[in-house]
Amino acid sequence: MNLHFDLFDLKLFTYVAEASSLTRGADRACISLAAASTRIKQMEEAIGGKLLNRTAQGVNLTAAGSAVLYHAKRVMQQMEHLRCDMQDFGKGIKGHVRVFANTSSITEYLPEKLAGFLTRHPAVQVDLREYLSEEIVRLVADGSADIGILAGDVHTGQFDAWPFGRNQLVLALPAGHPLADAGAAAFVDTLGEQHVGLHHGSAIHRFLMRKAELAGQGYSPRIQVSSFEAICLMIEAGVGVGVLPVSSARRLAKALRITIVPLTDHWAERELKIVTRSRELLPASARELLDHLAQPG
């Protein structure tokens, strides 16, 4: 089998597959329909089988077409890595790494970890974004992120993975609150209280909202703020109760009159993981950051 696909062929095929239309794929690639059809036909002849099933509604992928699309997307992603790296080199930057992480990782663990790495690698840029753990899995899988840091029992079997520590969510209460007497509380039993939480766009807000929905209830904080410190200040003032990582709660409890109570929910105790599709396929700067983050301590 002689496969002589050039990058334009792979890009065209990806456009056609994503649009489920040869016409729209050709338009996106800025070539004529006839030229696009000829290129796809040449790819099929090289493989010795059909890549697309053509119907009145458009096209859909055969099994061989799905395999080609999988590899084509990864070739395009590697070319994008190459383009970004070369562009960065031209600006004096030696690398650009995309790290997508959950709220707790960003607020509690990554500042110190990244500070050490960036001090030693001043020419590397890190694009750090906050997502839910389930979203991070998808974004790592499709190549949108180089490195993901997530929490919980999200399935990561298709990735390379390393431990990143543990994270426990707890309930913070104003001093003297009745729930403190129980010594522990289930999240669902707190939903009758006024809550103080992070803003709507935060991963932890969406996580708690989802857990409340699964319990058949709603999670609608009385007030939303921008940091765990602000949550605890509001709790100390008696505005409500709040859920946050135990490390933040303990640090802030040293200066504020708040009480920390464990949550009894199984999902409150979470293992943090670093994930990537493949360490060996990462750009050099991303591999260096990955190795730095995976170091214990």
Side-chain angles (χ1 to χ4, degrees):
M1 184 181 296
N2 294 317
L3 299 182
H4 297 294
F5 301 159
D6 60 28
L7 291 174
F8 187 82
D9 287 335
L10 296 177
K11 186 179 293 186
L12 169 65
F13 185 78
T14 301
Y15 290 163
V16 170
E18 290 176 344
S20 298
S21 167
L22 196 57
T23 301
R24 290 197 296 273
D27 288 343
R28 188 176 172 189
C30 299
I31 63 172
S32 69
L33 176 60
S37 181
T38 297
R39 281 181 172 268
I40 298 294
K41 191 172 298 183
Q42 288 172 343
M43 292 177 69
E44 291 177 326
E45 290 172 353
I47 289 173
K50 293 179 64 177
L51 298 176
L52 301 172
N53 290 315
R54 294 157 175 82
T55 69
Q57 289 73 40
V59 297
N60 53 65
L61 296 174
T62 64
S66 295
V68 169
L69 179 63
Y70 174 87
H71 291 288
K73 283 186 173 182
R74 273 139 190 83
V75 170
M76 294 298 103
Q77 288 159 5
Q78 290 301 313
M79 291 304 298
E80 180 62 16
H81 279 314
L82 175 61
R83 185 192 67 78
C84 289
D85 283 352
M86 293 304 102
Q87 186 177 59
D88 289 340
F89 280 124
K91 298 175 181 176
I93 301 299
K94 298 299 187 289
H96 183 98
V97 189
R98 299 163 299 171
V99 180
F100 294 175
N102 70 326
T103 306
S104 300
S105 299
I106 289 176
T107 57
E108 294 302 304
Y109 302 101
L110 284 173
E112 183 177 352
K113 283 276 193 178
L114 288 177
F117 176 82
L118 293 172
T119 298
R120 292 196 297 274
H121 300 82
V124 173
Q125 289 183 337
V126 175
D127 178 7
L128 178 61
R129 304 187 195 182
E130 180 184 340
Y131 287 97
L132 282 172
S133 293
E134 293 84 353
E135 296 170 332
I136 293 169
V137 169
R138 175 177 55 80
L139 293 165
V140 170
D142 70 16
S144 298
D146 299 306
I147 297 169
I149 302 177
L150 48 83
D153 55 357
V154 180
H155 179 64
T156 57
Q158 72 269 41
F159 300 132
D160 293 343
W162 296 262
F164 191 60
R166 301 194 69 81
N167 169 250
Q168 182 184 1
L169 295 177
V170 295
L171 182 69
L173 306 164
H177 192 284
L179 281 175
D181 296 334
F187 178 60
V188 67
D189 293 335
T190 75
L191 294 175
E193 302 285 334
Q194 299 284 1
H195 270 254
V196 182
L198 288 187
H199 56 88
H200 274 288
S202 67
I204 196 168
H205 172 85
R206 289 179 289 154
F207 175 79
L208 293 174
M209 189 166 60
R210 184 175 299 175
K211 293 303 180 184
E213 290 172 352
L214 289 173
Q217 298 199 42
Y219 173 71
S220 181
R222 181 182 188 184
I223 186 169
Q224 292 174 272
V225 293
S226 61
S227 69
F228 292 134
E229 181 179 7
I231 286 178
C232 290
L233 285 168
M234 290 291 178
I235 292 171
E236 182 187 44
V239 174
V241 305
V243 175
L244 66 159
V246 66
S247 53
S248 294
R250 285 174 178 166
R251 183 179 70 251
L252 293 165
K254 294 176 181 178
L256 302 173
R257 294 183 65 251
I258 60 174
T259 301
I260 302 170
V261 173
L263 288 171
T264 59
D265 306 85
H266 72 276
W267 47 258
E269 180 72 30
R270 305 186 295 172
E271 179 184 359
L272 298 175
K273 301 176 187 176
I274 307 169
V275 297
T276 185
R277 290 199 316 278
S278 170
R279 179 190 177 282
E280 300 308 314
L281 294 179
L282 289 174
S285 54
R287 288 199 304 273
E288 291 178 359
L289 176 56
L290 174 63
D291 293 342
H292 174 79
L293 294 175
Q295 290 176 359

